[in-house]
Amino acid sequence: MQPPVLHKLLQQTLWLSAQRSVFWKEQRALIISDVHLGKTGHFRKAGIAVPQQVYKEDLQRLVSLLHYFNPERLIVVGDFFHSKENRELELFKRWRRDFTSLPIHLVKGNHDILEKQWYKEAAIELHDESLLIEPFYFSHDRCDNASHYSFCGHLHPGVTVNGLGKQSLRLPCFYFTNEYCVLPAFSKFTGTATVQIKKGDTIFAIAEKSLMKL
């Protein structure tokens, strides 16, 4: 794993990882968004041949991050799961048994539609609309909180990087503005939406296993 990149914000220490996560040092919290667990199973159930290896690789990256940062809590800024219960979510419950002491906070996203009892059995604390941990505000699809700096997901932000010979790549990214941060989708089985960069914005593009500050 590439060493994380330091980003200071409101006197808080954030370590950004190319593995699509943020470690908030002062709270010892690992922050991720748009994991979409169960998405590959959802597609296979619909007759679309998506390999389950994608799902397993996402979970393994999460395991690696938990071992690397040793957080005291995991904050998921929405869309931890993709749809209704399927076999992959049963595999997640087994994975959860290996991390029973880790508090998991989920700010519900539009894809988090499982029954509340399911989250309870998986020892996941639900936050229906938002989570406030000073000085930050977490909401899945709203980054317009007037009183606090916000972290959101949902958009799966990406940025276009131009090279020589009219070559270009669209890469997932961390998108920091003066008021909010849009987190990259943790799952690699997602598309990206190109963000419109304004003066004063800070972008960290994710190129495979490394971060590039633009």
Side-chain angles (χ1 to χ4, degrees):
M1 183 187 299
Q2 178 205 30
V5 174
L6 175 64
H7 184 60
K8 299 288 286 189
L9 183 64
L10 299 182
Q11 299 181 326
Q12 301 296 298
T13 307
L14 305 177
W15 290 101
L16 311 184
S17 169
Q19 301 300 322
R20 309 186 184 206
S21 72
V22 178
F23 180 66
W24 182 4
K25 180 181 177 181
E26 285 76 10
Q27 291 290 334
R28 295 206 57 78
L30 186 68
I31 304 167
I32 58 176
S33 183
D34 296 276
V35 189
H36 290 281
L37 293 177
K39 184 176 181 178
T40 54
H42 178 75
F43 273 68
R44 286 197 306 278
K45 195 173 181 179
I48 301 171
V50 179
Q52 193 179 56
Q53 187 62 27
V54 175
Y55 168 83
K56 291 179 179 178
E57 287 176 359
D58 284 344
L59 269 185
Q60 187 54 52
R61 277 192 299 123
L62 182 53
V63 169
S64 297
L65 288 164
L66 293 175
H67 286 311
Y68 185 86
F69 289 109
N70 192 27
E72 293 180 358
R73 69 176 105 176
L74 174 65
I75 299 172
V76 185
V77 192
D79 287 357
F80 198 5
F81 305 97
H82 185 73
S83 187
K84 296 180 180 179
E85 190 168 0
N86 57 36
R87 184 173 177 273
E88 287 184 354
L89 299 193
E90 290 304 312
L91 293 175
F92 169 80
K93 280 188 176 180
R94 281 190 236 166
W95 175 92
R96 181 71 172 112
R97 294 185 197 117
D98 292 332
F99 296 92
T100 53
S101 62
L102 176 70
I104 298 179
H105 296 265
L106 170 60
V107 182
K108 287 185 70 175
N110 52 298
H111 282 282
D112 294 311
I113 60 173
L114 298 167
E115 297 293 331
K116 287 190 175 182
Q117 182 60 31
W118 194 95
Y119 297 108
K120 184 176 181 181
E121 290 172 0
I124 295 172
E125 184 172 344
L126 282 180
H127 303 270
D128 285 335
E129 295 183 1
S130 63
L131 171 64
L132 176 62
I133 306 175
E134 295 284 357
F136 297 137
Y137 174 90
F138 301 91
S139 176
H140 178 61
D141 58 0
R142 298 198 60 180
C143 275
D144 56 357
N145 184 271
S147 60
H148 292 83
Y149 193 93
S150 300
F151 283 83
C152 62
H154 186 58
L155 294 178
H156 306 176
V159 62
T160 299
V161 179
N162 295 311
L164 299 175
K166 297 184 179 180
Q167 296 175 330
S168 65
L169 288 173
R170 188 162 67 177
L171 303 173
C173 68
F174 295 90
Y175 175 42
F176 288 89
T177 75
N178 291 329
E179 295 84 27
Y180 59 83
C181 168
V182 186
L183 297 164
F186 186 82
S187 174
K188 293 184 178 180
F189 187 40
T190 58
T192 57
T194 302
V195 295
Q196 301 301 315
I197 304 173
K198 303 181 297 296
K199 185 177 180 179
D201 294 345
T202 303
I203 305 291
F204 293 89
I206 302 167
E208 293 298 328
K209 298 181 180 180
S210 62
L211 288 179
M212 300 186 300
K213 186 175 181 180
L214 303 179

